[in-house]
Amino acid sequence: MMMVVSAVIGTVVVAAARNPSQQPQSAPPPPAPPSAAPVKAAFPTKYVVLTFDDGPDAAYTPKILDILATYEAKATFFEVGKNVTKHPELSKRIHDAGHSVQNHTWTHADLRHLSATAFRQQVTSTDQAIQAAIGSTPGCLRPPYGGMDPTVRQRAKALGKDLVVWTVDSRDWTKPGTTAIVQRVLKNVHSGSVILMHDGGGNRTQTIAALPTILKSLKAKGYGFRTLTC
Ligand SMILES: [Zn+2]
């Protein structure tokens, strides 16, 4: 499968290839199905992809969803399968709000250090948990720690997954302070950036405090928000 970036425009989801050589971003969006609402806004050509990893988390994910809703921003959540089974209702809420739910392994395992069987279990168990929660199976796989090697790539491909990492690391997980998180994102962002943040895996108070300023600034600079599907 090929990774695509989608923009949610009203109820219409328009998908375009990230690789301009495969499908130029200047190409017109595909026609909307007859039952869909009319497209009201232009497909954003200046955009970022917001990604949140390691959830869902009962304390932090709802707060992040509320902030995203306030700023009308869509994001992609790379979820840990064992967390999905604890809070399938949160995965459902994320999906129903128009965000993308994708695979981040079952236990946040480093995929470079697994047997073929363990690799498959990490990925397919998470697929099944997400499928049970939202009714569709993720095509994107984000390897924990960004850990990739030729074996990881080959095994992911064999399972039909596209590996997706990031281009801007907020390093929010190091808890450097709200200002540092905001500045790290805003200094490094450009159109097409895939921004890494976290809604689970630890105390995300600083991420939540930083997010409104990040979203406000990105919108003021003219960025739209696209989500990932694969
Ligand atoms: Zn992670």
Side-chain angles (χ1 to χ4, degrees):
M1 283 185 283
M2 181 174 67
M3 182 174 73
V4 297
V5 184
S6 303
V8 177
I9 302 166
T11 57
V12 181
V13 177
V14 180
R18 278 193 81 229
N19 184 342
S21 69
Q22 292 171 308
Q23 184 179 336
Q25 293 187 353
S26 58
S35 59
V39 173
K40 293 175 185 166
F43 189 56
T45 53
K46 183 178 179 182
Y47 70 94
V48 296
V49 177
L50 303 169
T51 66
F52 293 91
D53 286 12
D54 301 355
D57 182 282
Y60 304 114
T61 304
K63 293 187 170 123
I64 285 172
L65 288 173
D66 289 345
I67 296 167
L68 291 171
T70 297
Y71 291 90
E72 298 178 308
K74 301 302 180 192
T76 302
F77 290 76
F78 286 93
E79 297 191 329
V80 171
K82 67 175 184 179
N83 293 341
V84 176
T85 58
K86 282 184 210 159
H87 301 290
E89 75 288 352
L90 286 175
S91 298
K92 179 78 161 52
R93 183 181 160 191
I94 292 167
H95 173 75
D96 288 351
H99 306 292
S100 178
V101 177
Q102 300 296 330
N103 191 320
H104 196 39
T105 78
W106 185 255
T107 61
H108 206 265
D110 189 328
L111 295 172
R112 293 168 294 189
H113 306 312
L114 299 180
S115 68
T117 301
F119 185 107
R120 176 178 289 274
Q121 285 172 344
Q122 284 281 338
V123 175
T124 58
S125 298
T126 303
D127 276 353
Q128 287 161 10
I130 292 174
Q131 164 72 35
I134 72 170
S136 58
T137 302
C140 307
L141 171 63
R142 175 167 279 173
Y145 318 104
M148 294 186 288
D149 61 19
T151 302
V152 169
R153 292 176 200 279
Q154 183 272 321
R155 288 174 176 170
K157 192 177 177 187
L159 292 172
K161 301 299 177 204
D162 284 343
L163 293 168
V164 178
V165 286
W166 54 86
T167 62
V168 175
D169 186 352
S170 71
R171 295 183 62 78
D172 60 341
W173 57 275
T174 66
K175 301 172 194 163
T178 301
T179 303
I181 294 170
V182 170
Q183 289 181 346
R184 195 169 277 131
V185 172
L186 296 180
K187 275 183 185 169
N188 294 300
V189 72
H190 57 79
S191 187
S193 289
V194 178
I195 301 169
L196 172 62
M197 292 177 279
H198 293 81
D199 65 321
N203 186 318
R204 303 308 177 208
T205 305
Q206 292 184 7
T207 306
I208 287 163
L211 191 55
T213 307
I214 291 170
L215 296 180
K216 205 172 177 179
S217 300
L218 290 174
K219 289 189 87 165
K221 292 172 197 287
Y223 286 102
F225 302 95
R226 298 196 197 179
T227 56
L228 295 171
T229 54
C230 298

